[in-house]
Amino acid sequence: MRRRIFLKDALAMGTLAATGPFVPRKARAQDVQKVIPEPGPDELRIIESAKKLNKNVDLSFMAWGAHAKGQMEHLAAAFKKQTGIGLGSIVDIGFAALSQRAMAEALARSGKIDLLHVHADTVPTLATAGLAAPLDDYMKAAKFDYRTVGTFADMSRLEGKTYGFVTDGNCHIYLVRKDILENPDNQKRYADKYGVRLEMPTTWKEYLRQGAFFGSDPNTMTGFGSLRARRWGYWWFLINYYNHGLFPFTGDVEPNFDNDVAEAALEMYLAERPHVIRDFDNWGTAQMWPHVGTGRAYQSIYWGGLLPLWESPEKYPQVAGKWRVGVVPGNVLPDGKRLVRTIQAGAPLVVVNRYAPNLDAAAHLAMWWTSPRNSTYITGGPISTVHEPWRAEHFKDAYNMKVYTRPGLDAMFLSLQVNSPSIRVTGALEFNDLLDRHVSDAWLGVVKPREALKRVDADWRTVIARVGKARLKKDIESYRESMPTVDQPVVS
Amino acid sequence: MNKAPAARKGGLFRWGALTPLILALGFLLPVLLLQIYLSVHQWTAYLGPWWAAQFVGLDLFREVLTEERFLRAVARSFIFAGASTLLSVLVGFGLAYLMQDPFRGRSFYYMLFIIPMLTVPVVVGYNFQMLLYESGPVNHILSLLVPGEVRISWLGHPVAAFASLVLIETWNWTPFVMIVMLAGLVSMPKEPVEAARVLGASRWQIFAHVTLPLLKPVLVLTLILRFLEALAEFPKFWTLTQGGPGTFTETIPVYLYLTSWDYFNVSKAAAMSYVVLLFVGVIIYVCIRALLRQKRALDIMFAQEGSGR
């Protein structure tokens, strides 16, 4: 008996000892964790509409696991209780393989997957392939309010129809090391050298100059902490490209890269190279995060969702509390207009499988997830969130304010207003990859910038011929609609 | 009376031998036929069903064979496969040679040497990615060995990235060569070596004039298998470089993957596959001819030795 009591006590003590150190941290995360919100008018309308379907189904969701786990699961369980429509299984797919698996499903037409997470720029391809179902009728039935900051929602639209809903405001913000920027010695040295005050850059020229200044010895500090890897780097080129007021297609569906302005944009992109370490030439996000987090980059343009990670004293004490954040610098066009453009990169969107036997139920669950209150519950996470804010409501949420900080949320809000998509037409993956391929070669110095752009044009022409100009013309109209409507963000 | 069961037996044997072949053909043929169909039609997966694709004849083959990107990918693949095969055969043969005679701890070394081969290629890729950072363990160790700080960008510099992949492939598959060569060495007849030793041949002479010729069939087979395996290597390229930096490590499998699963240009990928199949077929044919020549030479040698006795 005494032995059993001893063993029980020992077990309890052991458990406490093992978990004890984690309890306060976990509790800290929990105390700011939101509870599932009470349904508001929007949510109630979705519930009412879903009840009319009179279904009792458990849907399957092919998603990047990190996205679907947690809040989305909790909400699906709540929806199940209310309507009988829930989530049965999650097929966990790697972030980089989402598009391929979605296309495989489009070809298989199995209907076994009801909901799919996809990248926003693949919507035209998936709609053309017949996989993504238009959701407008369901939206109308539930009077679904699908609005985002800026034109973010338009990334899920094609020819006026809505093919999915955003679940993550993946938008690039600008981060600069406040401690370096505000250091009096640095300010003096900088002013002495350039005759201008050292302050947060608002032009690309100033951004590049500061990067060159602080990244003069990349082995100790790099001037820039943005990606240049094959398959990812072109997103950052597109930021420069859009900032020059350019659009990738001309009115008659011809590629628009082989010109002086695009060359200037590419030169701007390439100007970072002397001030980064050589590993950058082939680095992906997994390598870049700790690089920036351990204080080896003066400034960076990256997903706003990384801010909680880099502001975490537990994860990255080297840089926590040392960031100033905002929107990317802008460019003054020849007509004197100042233009600011940032980019959405890999924004997951929930689409509904047209071949799913429970298409209507799936559409309702997708709306449920992205409704104003529920999507607020989904956004945020204690560290390195993969659900960044995108609705106006998300920016007023107390929890998000704790996770992202007020300046962080402001930076995201401003950035979303001038957020542009990557190439989003039918065949997007091919267009994007061909662009990336030649930009990568230019980054290495294997080809001259203009030659790289000529090659982009040449390669794109073959894709345009294959996809067909008539189809692309319609896609391009939708693409243009998803571009920002303001030249620079408006502080509200 | 006796002939009927014998004929039945012969028939059974024939069918027994033919059935797997027929099953294999039945399994493979539809795929091969579909691939032929796709390679002469222009089908992009998202633009419509494959049966409605436009007939383009041999246009895609022409496009593939005249495309600089494809030819560069072929050249990279052949250089990669050739270099990694040679290195792994050299090292693997060396290890097998050292391991052929029993010694204390032989099993331990055997186990140790085959670990790389048992590691999943994707895991190999991710592990080496961590080892090869500019500020990673490999450069750190090198810095301890040489004066000054070593800062090689193993995966960032085009040549270094390609060389790294060759070395990683060599590390991964040398054990395979070692196992095959060891089996060859162990099963080799001892008499010719003994005879050479009695006749006063040096170790090098025995190796060069007796062991190596006897092992040639195994060696050629190992070279073929290793070369073909390396030619098809994809996981390491994808996990480590994804064809980069720039386009320096874009090999045939990488380009094939991009064409079929990024561009969804299935028809072009089918045509590319057939062209690659043709290249590989030629290589195998040449190697098998060489193998047969070796076998014939050995048969003649043994026959002459036999008649001499």
PDB file of all heavy atoms in Angstrom, chain B residues 246-267:
ATOM      1  N   GLY B 246      20.740  29.548 -59.453  1.00  0.00           N
ATOM      2  CA  GLY B 246      20.415  29.805 -60.860  1.00  0.00           C
ATOM      3  C   GLY B 246      19.797  28.545 -61.432  1.00  0.00           C
ATOM      4  O   GLY B 246      18.795  28.058 -60.908  1.00  0.00           O
ATOM      5  N   THR B 247      20.434  28.021 -62.456  1.00  0.00           N
ATOM      6  CA  THR B 247      19.919  26.787 -63.050  1.00  0.00           C
ATOM      7  C   THR B 247      21.013  25.732 -63.104  1.00  0.00           C
ATOM      8  O   THR B 247      20.959  24.803 -63.904  1.00  0.00           O
ATOM      9  CB  THR B 247      19.414  27.075 -64.474  1.00  0.00           C
ATOM     10  OG1 THR B 247      20.424  27.812 -65.167  1.00  0.00           O
ATOM     11  CG2 THR B 247      18.152  27.881 -64.453  1.00  0.00           C
ATOM     12  N   PHE B 248      21.996  25.861 -62.232  1.00  0.00           N
ATOM     13  CA  PHE B 248      23.200  25.045 -62.340  1.00  0.00           C
ATOM     14  C   PHE B 248      23.037  23.579 -61.967  1.00  0.00           C
ATOM     15  O   PHE B 248      23.877  22.771 -62.296  1.00  0.00           O
ATOM     16  CB  PHE B 248      24.344  25.676 -61.533  1.00  0.00           C
ATOM     17  CG  PHE B 248      25.085  26.709 -62.312  1.00  0.00           C
ATOM     18  CD1 PHE B 248      24.637  28.010 -62.345  1.00  0.00           C
ATOM     19  CD2 PHE B 248      26.207  26.375 -63.044  1.00  0.00           C
ATOM     20  CE1 PHE B 248      25.295  28.973 -63.079  1.00  0.00           C
ATOM     21  CE2 PHE B 248      26.878  27.330 -63.781  1.00  0.00           C
ATOM     22  CZ  PHE B 248      26.416  28.637 -63.808  1.00  0.00           C
ATOM     23  N   THR B 249      22.011  23.244 -61.225  1.00  0.00           N
ATOM     24  CA  THR B 249      21.848  21.829 -60.877  1.00  0.00           C
ATOM     25  C   THR B 249      20.516  21.289 -61.422  1.00  0.00           C
ATOM     26  O   THR B 249      19.951  20.361 -60.873  1.00  0.00           O
ATOM     27  CB  THR B 249      21.929  21.607 -59.352  1.00  0.00           C
ATOM     28  OG1 THR B 249      20.904  22.376 -58.733  1.00  0.00           O
ATOM     29  CG2 THR B 249      23.278  22.006 -58.791  1.00  0.00           C
ATOM     30  N   GLU B 250      20.055  21.918 -62.486  1.00  0.00           N
ATOM     31  CA  GLU B 250      18.818  21.433 -63.111  1.00  0.00           C
ATOM     32  C   GLU B 250      19.153  20.235 -63.998  1.00  0.00           C
ATOM     33  O   GLU B 250      19.620  20.385 -65.122  1.00  0.00           O
ATOM     34  CB  GLU B 250      18.156  22.541 -63.924  1.00  0.00           C
ATOM     35  CG  GLU B 250      16.751  22.161 -64.370  1.00  0.00           C
ATOM     36  CD  GLU B 250      16.091  23.280 -65.144  1.00  0.00           C
ATOM     37  OE1 GLU B 250      15.494  24.164 -64.522  1.00  0.00           O
ATOM     38  OE2 GLU B 250      16.190  23.277 -66.392  1.00  0.00           O
ATOM     39  N   THR B 251      18.921  19.061 -63.472  1.00  0.00           N
ATOM     40  CA  THR B 251      19.218  17.831 -64.216  1.00  0.00           C
ATOM     41  C   THR B 251      17.940  17.318 -64.892  1.00  0.00           C
ATOM     42  O   THR B 251      16.880  17.933 -64.748  1.00  0.00           O
ATOM     43  CB  THR B 251      19.751  16.760 -63.254  1.00  0.00           C
ATOM     44  OG1 THR B 251      18.824  16.660 -62.173  1.00  0.00           O
ATOM     45  CG2 THR B 251      21.125  17.112 -62.719  1.00  0.00           C
ATOM     46  N   ILE B 252      18.047  16.190 -65.563  1.00  0.00           N
ATOM     47  CA  ILE B 252      16.872  15.660 -66.274  1.00  0.00           C
ATOM     48  C   ILE B 252      15.691  15.434 -65.309  1.00  0.00           C
ATOM     49  O   ILE B 252      14.584  15.907 -65.590  1.00  0.00           O
ATOM     50  CB  ILE B 252      17.195  14.344 -67.022  1.00  0.00           C
ATOM     51  CG1 ILE B 252      18.272  14.566 -68.076  1.00  0.00           C
ATOM     52  CG2 ILE B 252      15.941  13.801 -67.694  1.00  0.00           C
ATOM     53  CD1 ILE B 252      18.830  13.255 -68.656  1.00  0.00           C
ATOM     54  N   PRO B 253      15.886  14.738 -64.190  1.00  0.00           N
ATOM     55  CA  PRO B 253      14.727  14.527 -63.306  1.00  0.00           C
ATOM     56  C   PRO B 253      14.110  15.826 -62.796  1.00  0.00           C
ATOM     57  O   PRO B 253      12.884  15.933 -62.686  1.00  0.00           O
ATOM     58  CB  PRO B 253      15.295  13.710 -62.149  1.00  0.00           C
ATOM     59  CG  PRO B 253      16.513  13.079 -62.679  1.00  0.00           C
ATOM     60  CD  PRO B 253      17.074  14.039 -63.672  1.00  0.00           C
ATOM     61  N   VAL B 254      14.955  16.810 -62.503  1.00  0.00           N
ATOM     62  CA  VAL B 254      14.427  18.091 -62.015  1.00  0.00           C
ATOM     63  C   VAL B 254      13.593  18.753 -63.120  1.00  0.00           C
ATOM     64  O   VAL B 254      12.474  19.219 -62.882  1.00  0.00           O
ATOM     65  CB  VAL B 254      15.574  19.028 -61.557  1.00  0.00           C
ATOM     66  CG1 VAL B 254      15.046  20.414 -61.213  1.00  0.00           C
ATOM     67  CG2 VAL B 254      16.307  18.434 -60.369  1.00  0.00           C
ATOM     68  N   TYR B 255      14.140  18.771 -64.313  1.00  0.00           N
ATOM     69  CA  TYR B 255      13.428  19.399 -65.422  1.00  0.00           C
ATOM     70  C   TYR B 255      12.143  18.627 -65.755  1.00  0.00           C
ATOM     71  O   TYR B 255      11.098  19.230 -66.041  1.00  0.00           O
ATOM     72  CB  TYR B 255      14.347  19.494 -66.646  1.00  0.00           C
ATOM     73  CG  TYR B 255      13.762  20.280 -67.795  1.00  0.00           C
ATOM     74  CD1 TYR B 255      12.844  21.296 -67.583  1.00  0.00           C
ATOM     75  CD2 TYR B 255      14.138  20.013 -69.112  1.00  0.00           C
ATOM     76  CE1 TYR B 255      12.303  22.016 -68.636  1.00  0.00           C
ATOM     77  CE2 TYR B 255      13.618  20.728 -70.182  1.00  0.00           C
ATOM     78  CZ  TYR B 255      12.694  21.727 -69.930  1.00  0.00           C
ATOM     79  OH  TYR B 255      12.160  22.423 -70.972  1.00  0.00           O
ATOM     80  N   LEU B 256      12.236  17.307 -65.666  1.00  0.00           N
ATOM     81  CA  LEU B 256      11.039  16.493 -65.917  1.00  0.00           C
ATOM     82  C   LEU B 256       9.953  16.786 -64.890  1.00  0.00           C
ATOM     83  O   LEU B 256       8.767  16.907 -65.223  1.00  0.00           O
ATOM     84  CB  LEU B 256      11.398  15.005 -65.845  1.00  0.00           C
ATOM     85  CG  LEU B 256      11.640  14.306 -67.163  1.00  0.00           C
ATOM     86  CD1 LEU B 256      12.176  12.905 -66.933  1.00  0.00           C
ATOM     87  CD2 LEU B 256      10.356  14.235 -67.982  1.00  0.00           C
ATOM     88  N   TYR B 257      10.383  16.908 -63.636  1.00  0.00           N
ATOM     89  CA  TYR B 257       9.418  17.205 -62.576  1.00  0.00           C
ATOM     90  C   TYR B 257       8.754  18.558 -62.832  1.00  0.00           C
ATOM     91  O   TYR B 257       7.527  18.696 -62.752  1.00  0.00           O
ATOM     92  CB  TYR B 257      10.110  17.205 -61.207  1.00  0.00           C
ATOM     93  CG  TYR B 257       9.182  17.652 -60.098  1.00  0.00           C
ATOM     94  CD1 TYR B 257       8.272  16.768 -59.536  1.00  0.00           C
ATOM     95  CD2 TYR B 257       9.181  18.966 -59.637  1.00  0.00           C
ATOM     96  CE1 TYR B 257       7.396  17.178 -58.541  1.00  0.00           C
ATOM     97  CE2 TYR B 257       8.308  19.388 -58.643  1.00  0.00           C
ATOM     98  CZ  TYR B 257       7.426  18.488 -58.099  1.00  0.00           C
ATOM     99  OH  TYR B 257       6.548  18.915 -57.123  1.00  0.00           O
ATOM    100  N   LEU B 258       9.592  19.547 -63.139  1.00  0.00           N
ATOM    101  CA  LEU B 258       9.043  20.887 -63.376  1.00  0.00           C
ATOM    102  C   LEU B 258       8.071  20.870 -64.553  1.00  0.00           C
ATOM    103  O   LEU B 258       6.994  21.469 -64.494  1.00  0.00           O
ATOM    104  CB  LEU B 258      10.172  21.885 -63.647  1.00  0.00           C
ATOM    105  CG  LEU B 258      11.023  22.284 -62.443  1.00  0.00           C
ATOM    106  CD1 LEU B 258      12.222  23.118 -62.883  1.00  0.00           C
ATOM    107  CD2 LEU B 258      10.196  23.077 -61.436  1.00  0.00           C
ATOM    108  N   THR B 259       8.451  20.176 -65.611  1.00  0.00           N
ATOM    109  CA  THR B 259       7.610  20.153 -66.808  1.00  0.00           C
ATOM    110  C   THR B 259       6.270  19.475 -66.535  1.00  0.00           C
ATOM    111  O   THR B 259       5.228  19.951 -66.974  1.00  0.00           O
ATOM    112  CB  THR B 259       8.342  19.425 -67.960  1.00  0.00           C
ATOM    113  OG1 THR B 259       9.610  20.033 -68.127  1.00  0.00           O
ATOM    114  CG2 THR B 259       7.578  19.519 -69.265  1.00  0.00           C
ATOM    115  N   SER B 260       6.318  18.365 -65.805  1.00  0.00           N
ATOM    116  CA  SER B 260       5.067  17.649 -65.598  1.00  0.00           C
ATOM    117  C   SER B 260       4.273  18.171 -64.416  1.00  0.00           C
ATOM    118  O   SER B 260       3.048  18.255 -64.486  1.00  0.00           O
ATOM    119  CB  SER B 260       5.330  16.154 -65.448  1.00  0.00           C
ATOM    120  OG  SER B 260       6.328  15.936 -64.500  1.00  0.00           O
ATOM    121  N   TRP B 261       4.953  18.587 -63.320  1.00  0.00           N
ATOM    122  CA  TRP B 261       4.215  18.924 -62.108  1.00  0.00           C
ATOM    123  C   TRP B 261       4.186  20.400 -61.750  1.00  0.00           C
ATOM    124  O   TRP B 261       3.544  20.786 -60.779  1.00  0.00           O
ATOM    125  CB  TRP B 261       4.737  18.110 -60.928  1.00  0.00           C
ATOM    126  CG  TRP B 261       4.224  16.722 -61.004  1.00  0.00           C
ATOM    127  CD1 TRP B 261       4.904  15.607 -61.377  1.00  0.00           C
ATOM    128  CD2 TRP B 261       2.869  16.302 -60.772  1.00  0.00           C
ATOM    129  NE1 TRP B 261       4.068  14.527 -61.379  1.00  0.00           N
ATOM    130  CE2 TRP B 261       2.816  14.928 -61.015  1.00  0.00           C
ATOM    131  CE3 TRP B 261       1.695  16.964 -60.395  1.00  0.00           C
ATOM    132  CZ2 TRP B 261       1.639  14.176 -60.890  1.00  0.00           C
ATOM    133  CZ3 TRP B 261       0.529  16.233 -60.263  1.00  0.00           C
ATOM    134  CH2 TRP B 261       0.511  14.858 -60.500  1.00  0.00           C
ATOM    135  N   ASP B 262       4.889  21.206 -62.516  1.00  0.00           N
ATOM    136  CA  ASP B 262       4.780  22.647 -62.299  1.00  0.00           C
ATOM    137  C   ASP B 262       4.121  23.272 -63.524  1.00  0.00           C
ATOM    138  O   ASP B 262       3.262  24.128 -63.408  1.00  0.00           O
ATOM    139  CB  ASP B 262       6.177  23.241 -62.112  1.00  0.00           C
ATOM    140  CG  ASP B 262       6.300  23.955 -60.779  1.00  0.00           C
ATOM    141  OD1 ASP B 262       5.655  23.504 -59.826  1.00  0.00           O
ATOM    142  OD2 ASP B 262       7.036  24.951 -60.703  1.00  0.00           O
ATOM    143  N   TYR B 263       4.573  22.818 -64.672  1.00  0.00           N
ATOM    144  CA  TYR B 263       4.022  23.369 -65.911  1.00  0.00           C
ATOM    145  C   TYR B 263       2.814  22.557 -66.375  1.00  0.00           C
ATOM    146  O   TYR B 263       2.079  23.000 -67.241  1.00  0.00           O
ATOM    147  CB  TYR B 263       5.083  23.379 -67.008  1.00  0.00           C
ATOM    148  CG  TYR B 263       6.414  24.015 -66.636  1.00  0.00           C
ATOM    149  CD1 TYR B 263       7.541  23.820 -67.420  1.00  0.00           C
ATOM    150  CD2 TYR B 263       6.536  24.813 -65.506  1.00  0.00           C
ATOM    151  CE1 TYR B 263       8.762  24.394 -67.088  1.00  0.00           C
ATOM    152  CE2 TYR B 263       7.755  25.390 -65.164  1.00  0.00           C
ATOM    153  CZ  TYR B 263       8.865  25.163 -65.951  1.00  0.00           C
ATOM    154  OH  TYR B 263      10.075  25.729 -65.616  1.00  0.00           O
ATOM    155  N   PHE B 264       2.670  21.381 -65.835  1.00  0.00           N
ATOM    156  CA  PHE B 264       1.580  20.457 -66.208  1.00  0.00           C
ATOM    157  C   PHE B 264       1.552  20.178 -67.703  1.00  0.00           C
ATOM    158  O   PHE B 264       0.508  19.885 -68.273  1.00  0.00           O
ATOM    159  CB  PHE B 264       0.220  20.974 -65.711  1.00  0.00           C
ATOM    160  CG  PHE B 264       0.205  21.227 -64.232  1.00  0.00           C
ATOM    161  CD1 PHE B 264       0.058  22.506 -63.719  1.00  0.00           C
ATOM    162  CD2 PHE B 264       0.367  20.184 -63.345  1.00  0.00           C
ATOM    163  CE1 PHE B 264       0.070  22.735 -62.351  1.00  0.00           C
ATOM    164  CE2 PHE B 264       0.375  20.401 -61.969  1.00  0.00           C
ATOM    165  CZ  PHE B 264       0.229  21.683 -61.471  1.00  0.00           C
ATOM    166  N   ASN B 265       2.723  20.322 -68.329  1.00  0.00           N
ATOM    167  CA  ASN B 265       2.859  20.045 -69.752  1.00  0.00           C
ATOM    168  C   ASN B 265       3.199  18.554 -69.908  1.00  0.00           C
ATOM    169  O   ASN B 265       4.341  18.175 -70.198  1.00  0.00           O
ATOM    170  CB  ASN B 265       3.951  20.939 -70.346  1.00  0.00           C
ATOM    171  CG  ASN B 265       3.971  20.910 -71.853  1.00  0.00           C
ATOM    172  OD1 ASN B 265       3.323  20.065 -72.481  1.00  0.00           O
ATOM    173  ND2 ASN B 265       4.715  21.822 -72.446  1.00  0.00           N
ATOM    174  N   VAL B 266       2.199  17.750 -69.700  1.00  0.00           N
ATOM    175  CA  VAL B 266       2.409  16.296 -69.595  1.00  0.00           C
ATOM    176  C   VAL B 266       2.949  15.724 -70.906  1.00  0.00           C
ATOM    177  O   VAL B 266       3.795  14.826 -70.902  1.00  0.00           O
ATOM    178  CB  VAL B 266       1.091  15.605 -69.188  1.00  0.00           C
ATOM    179  CG1 VAL B 266       1.296  14.126 -68.957  1.00  0.00           C
ATOM    180  CG2 VAL B 266       0.530  16.253 -67.932  1.00  0.00           C
ATOM    181  N   SER B 267       2.480  16.241 -72.019  1.00  0.00           N
ATOM    182  CA  SER B 267       2.922  15.728 -73.316  1.00  0.00           C
ATOM    183  C   SER B 267       4.410  15.945 -73.536  1.00  0.00           C
ATOM    184  O   SER B 267       5.118  15.044 -73.981  1.00  0.00           O
ATOM    185  CB  SER B 267       2.145  16.415 -74.437  1.00  0.00           C
ATOM    186  OG  SER B 267       0.830  15.966 -74.409  1.00  0.00           O
TER     187      SER B 267
END
